[in-house]
Amino acid sequence: MQEENKVLACVDRSDYADTVTDAATWAARRLEAPMELLHILDRHPESASGKDHSGTIGFNAQQHLLEALSEEDAARSKAAREQGRLFLNRLRERAIAAGATAPDVRQRHGELEEVLVEQQPGVGLFVLGRRGESAEATQRDLGRNVERVVRALKRPILAVTEQFQTPRRVMLAFDGGGMARRGVELVAKSPLFTDLPIHVLMSGKTTRDGAKQLEWAKTTLETAGLETEVDLIPGDAENVIARSVREREIDLLVMGAYGHSPIRALLFGSKTSDLLRSAKIPTLLLR
């Protein structure tokens, strides 16, 4: 039976695996939710045996070659599963040592986006690294799969950086829109934020009802028993938020994600991706 509202940590063989495990463990403990470590194996791993299969194929040679290649593929798949099993067992022990209760582990073949969308009905929170194995080689600051996966999912996603420390101060990026208001309501009712001070920051273009929107956010959070401070700082949202995160030593940023279409992001850029790059702390993305 599939657990509902579990914390699903998506791990790969990158340096982010330990960080993702630590963040998922913290979240599962706070939420008192089941935790699962999921390792997705490529359905079509690259074949690189180093053998030259070109040239003229003689009588019955084609069949023998296909059988040999099939055996090689099976051997590689078996080795990948075994390596994945050992990898997941190490992460499971790490989670248990940090206080997780009987975390589950699982391997799946498939494409990242496809598998995570399939898992979505039983998940309350996804946890993933901002970069994976492919991004490590190129030193990109934001993995190529992040935006695509986040757009495909409809659950909150905790995107973590290279190191994770237990959050002590939380910032909520707030623009008064529908998604931001839902974010305030989620923070107000979620055990994830119990006893954590919340700083609500509105930036960007000045609006006539900005102060009123901030007052609503402050009242909603304080009614839930959360220590709350609000700020209205005009200016470029990316720069204002990044600066405030540093100055206030914020450990966790909460914000809405990818509110516009991929086409619009292609033409005009994506504020979500810009903020992810500039904040450099774990970020809870709301969908």
Side-chain angles (χ1 to χ4, degrees):
M1 180 178 173
Q2 193 176 36
E3 292 279 6
E4 291 186 359
N5 297 321
K6 66 185 173 185
V7 175
L8 181 62
C10 185
V11 293
D12 62 12
R13 305 296 290 276
S14 72
D15 292 340
Y16 278 76
D18 289 352
T19 301
V20 170
T21 300
D22 294 346
T25 300
W26 168 77
R29 292 184 63 191
R30 298 278 292 188
L31 296 170
E32 297 184 348
M35 172 181 168
E36 179 180 308
L37 292 155
L38 175 64
H39 181 219
I40 300 174
L41 298 169
D42 192 346
R43 183 181 288 136
H44 304 293
E46 292 182 358
S47 297
S49 65
K51 296 180 181 179
D52 185 2
H53 300 301
S54 63
T56 303
I57 297 181
F59 183 70
N60 281 336
Q62 184 176 12
Q63 181 62 31
H64 291 315
L65 176 58
L66 291 175
E67 290 175 356
L69 292 175
S70 178
E71 290 173 0
E72 289 178 6
D73 287 343
R76 279 193 295 270
S77 181
K78 181 178 180 181
R81 288 196 303 271
E82 178 60 18
Q83 291 171 359
R85 184 184 69 81
L86 296 174
F87 166 68
L88 283 173
N89 283 343
R90 180 185 71 79
L91 295 179
R92 184 176 188 274
E93 292 303 316
R94 182 183 182 93
I96 291 172
T101 304
D104 194 13
V105 296
R106 191 151 52 109
Q107 294 193 85
R108 285 283 306 273
H109 281 89
E111 301 296 331
L112 177 65
E113 178 183 343
E114 177 184 306
V115 173
L116 295 186
V117 169
E118 178 186 310
Q119 298 300 308
Q120 191 166 225
V123 175
L125 175 68
F126 287 94
V127 184
L128 50 82
R130 291 193 188 171
R131 295 195 305 163
E133 291 175 277
S134 61
E136 284 191 332
T138 61
Q139 297 302 305
R140 288 193 301 269
D141 57 357
L142 193 63
R144 65 186 179 189
N145 288 320
V146 172
E147 178 170 352
R148 184 165 53 84
V149 168
V150 173
R151 284 188 182 277
L153 299 175
K154 304 302 179 187
R155 298 285 191 273
I157 299 130
L158 180 57
V160 300
T161 47
E162 287 88 345
Q163 295 182 351
F164 178 81
Q165 62 181 19
T166 300
R168 296 169 299 166
R169 289 173 288 273
V170 178
M171 176 174 287
L172 174 61
F174 184 74
D175 63 5
M179 185 180 294
R181 291 175 71 90
R182 289 195 297 274
V184 169
E185 292 167 348
L186 182 148
V187 169
K189 69 181 182 182
S190 175
L192 204 61
F193 303 98
T194 301
D195 299 327
L196 292 177
I198 310 295
H199 183 81
V200 183
L201 175 62
M202 176 177 277
S203 57
K205 295 180 179 179
T206 303
T207 60
R208 288 183 301 175
D209 62 346
K212 181 179 179 181
Q213 295 280 8
L214 275 176
E215 185 59 34
W216 171 85
K218 181 178 174 67
T219 300
T220 301
L221 293 169
E222 288 183 338
T223 300
L226 296 174
E227 178 186 337
T228 306
E229 183 179 353
V230 298
D231 257 331
L232 175 56
I233 306 178
D236 178 75
E238 178 187 349
N239 292 328
V240 170
I241 291 173
R243 184 176 67 249
S244 297
V245 163
R246 292 192 301 270
E247 292 175 349
R248 294 180 173 274
E249 298 181 327
I250 299 297
D251 304 301
L252 178 64
L253 176 65
V254 182
M255 67 180 194
Y258 301 117
H260 297 290
S261 71
I263 297 267
R264 188 182 188 281
L266 179 64
L267 295 174
F268 303 106
S270 167
K271 252 328 162 190
T272 301
S273 295
D274 291 343
L275 286 171
L276 280 173
R277 290 187 180 96
S278 62
K280 301 190 183 304
I281 58 172
T283 304
L284 182 64
L285 302 171
L286 306 177
R287 298 291 292 138

